[in-house]
Amino acid sequence: MKGFYQAIYRDDDLNKAKRFASERMDGLIEHYATLSGVERYVLGRYYDRVELTVEADSIVPYLNNKQELRATVIFEGEYKGDNVKDSRDVVLVQEEGTWRVDQILDPRYRP
């Protein structure tokens, strides 16, 4: 999961991010096509520099489905000189034996 965000925010590489993305997320990345588009419409946040942590105790089955996991990612970074701290809940699905980023949940509707 961290690899997905690092590919976008640190490496500026959407193709690398796709390696960590589910088929659904891959389709969103293709649709928005640019780093700026993905940051704005899929991830909902821009960063010039960011550090990521995953809250280990937040990793739980999503909606009681053991084939999907929800985890909280904490972001601490900078954008245009301002310090920015945020969190997002991410849904992971298992595809081809690997956990992949499938959804970025809207923080207003956290289940």
Side-chain angles (χ1 to χ4, degrees), residues 23-88:
E23 287 184 36
R24 178 195 332 213
M25 183 60 68
D26 184 83
L28 285 172
I29 292 170
E30 283 291 317
H31 177 77
Y32 291 106
T34 65
L35 280 167
S36 179
V38 170
E39 287 174 332
R40 180 175 181 180
Y41 297 109
V42 179
L43 305 180
R45 177 67 73 187
Y46 293 102
Y47 289 99
D48 295 322
R49 183 192 60 74
V50 67
E51 294 297 323
L52 308 164
T53 55
V54 177
E55 289 186 351
D57 59 346
S58 73
I59 301 171
V60 295
Y62 181 60
L63 300 177
N64 296 318
N65 182 349
K66 293 181 181 179
Q67 301 303 316
E68 298 180 352
L69 296 176
R70 184 185 79 208
T72 301
V73 181
I74 305 296
F75 302 86
E76 291 187 58
E78 293 180 5
Y79 180 63
K80 293 187 177 182
D82 292 330
N83 290 325
V84 180
K85 185 172 181 178
D86 200 0
S87 68
R88 289 286 190 269

